[in-house]
Amino acid sequence: MNFLKKLAPHMALAESQIYKSAELHTSAVCCRVQSGRYRITTKRNRPLTYEMANPPHFIAHRKSWNSWNTSTLLDSQRPAQTAVEDLFIRKFITGTWHALTCSEIIIKRQHNTIRIASIIRQAISPRKMYFLIGYTEELLSYWMQCPVTLELQTVADKKDVVFKYI
């Protein structure tokens, strides 16, 4: 009991110091418009695709969403699970198609099917590409418990996808 009596003044002092240092800082909304934008390099040698070149406020005007689903509507089911599944699909495809994806991975959900679209480099033989397509579709269909279809476009070189350099 004596220990608590000795400790009480120190706790009150610590609480008062915490409240003194906790201040609220506010700034105008337009001051820090920085997320989703890329910095210009000094040599202007950073390649950007068309999706990357457009700033975030052009979504639905000049660029599109990377996930098409209805789980974010009012009173919809599974919005958090859908977001986690989309993240898992992107990580799985990036790992399976290692260093072959040239653009963003677009995920479209329609009823109980998932369609995945992307642009892939032609760096491997067609036989290996067909194997990876079947492998990816089969495993994702098993894990997601619904049909998964890959819609891939191929380009000869990654430079074919570059829209501009900054």
Side-chain angles (χ1 to χ4, degrees), residues 4-47:
L4 292 176
K5 288 181 182 177
K6 291 179 183 176
L7 188 64
H10 297 295
M11 293 299 291
L13 179 65
E15 280 183 18
S16 66
Q17 288 176 350
I18 289 173
Y19 289 128
K20 284 181 186 176
S21 65
E23 298 174 3
L24 178 65
H25 296 281
T26 61
S27 62
V29 176
C30 61
C31 286
R32 300 293 291 174
V33 184
Q34 195 167 351
S35 66
R37 298 172 189 272
Y38 296 91
R39 266 197 187 150
I40 298 174
T41 58
T42 54
K43 296 182 181 180
R44 293 196 178 261
N45 59 355
R46 176 183 288 164

Side-chain angles (χ1 to χ4, degrees), residues 88-103:
F88 173 75
I89 289 170
R90 285 194 178 90
K91 293 277 188 184
F92 179 76
I93 289 183
T94 305
T96 304
W97 297 83
H98 181 67
L100 294 175
T101 55
C102 297
S103 69

Side-chain angles (χ1 to χ4, degrees), residues 51-81:
E51 291 278 329
M52 295 164 68
N54 287 309
H57 64 272
F58 282 125
I59 292 178
H61 297 284
R62 289 196 297 195
K63 65 187 276 188
S64 178
W65 286 272
N66 288 342
S67 290
W68 287 80
N69 57 50
T70 57
S71 65
T72 56
L73 297 175
L74 184 65
D75 295 333
S76 63
Q77 298 175 358
R78 303 174 17 104
Q81 291 173 347

Side-chain angles (χ1 to χ4, degrees), residues 54-142:
N54 287 309
H57 64 272
F58 282 125
I59 292 178
H61 297 284
R62 289 196 297 195
K63 65 187 276 188
S64 178
W65 286 272
N66 288 342
S67 290
W68 287 80
N69 57 50
T70 57
S71 65
T72 56
L73 297 175
L74 184 65
D75 295 333
S76 63
Q77 298 175 358
R78 303 174 17 104
Q81 291 173 347
T82 303
V84 170
E85 285 177 359
D86 288 354
L87 180 68
F88 173 75
I89 289 170
R90 285 194 178 90
K91 293 277 188 184
F92 179 76
I93 289 183
T94 305
T96 304
W97 297 83
H98 181 67
L100 294 175
T101 55
C102 297
S103 69
E104 290 83 10
I105 297 168
I106 310 296
I107 301 171
K108 305 172 204 168
R109 294 175 183 261
Q110 294 176 326
H111 303 294
N112 71 332
T113 62
I114 299 174
R115 296 183 333 178
I116 302 166
S118 184
I119 300 175
I120 305 291
R121 281 189 313 121
Q122 296 172 348
I124 58 175
S125 67
R127 184 177 185 139
K128 288 182 183 177
M129 193 170 291
Y130 286 129
F131 170 77
L132 284 177
I133 289 172
Y135 173 80
T136 305
E137 286 179 353
E138 194 67 30
L139 282 179
L140 286 176
S141 295
Y142 179 74

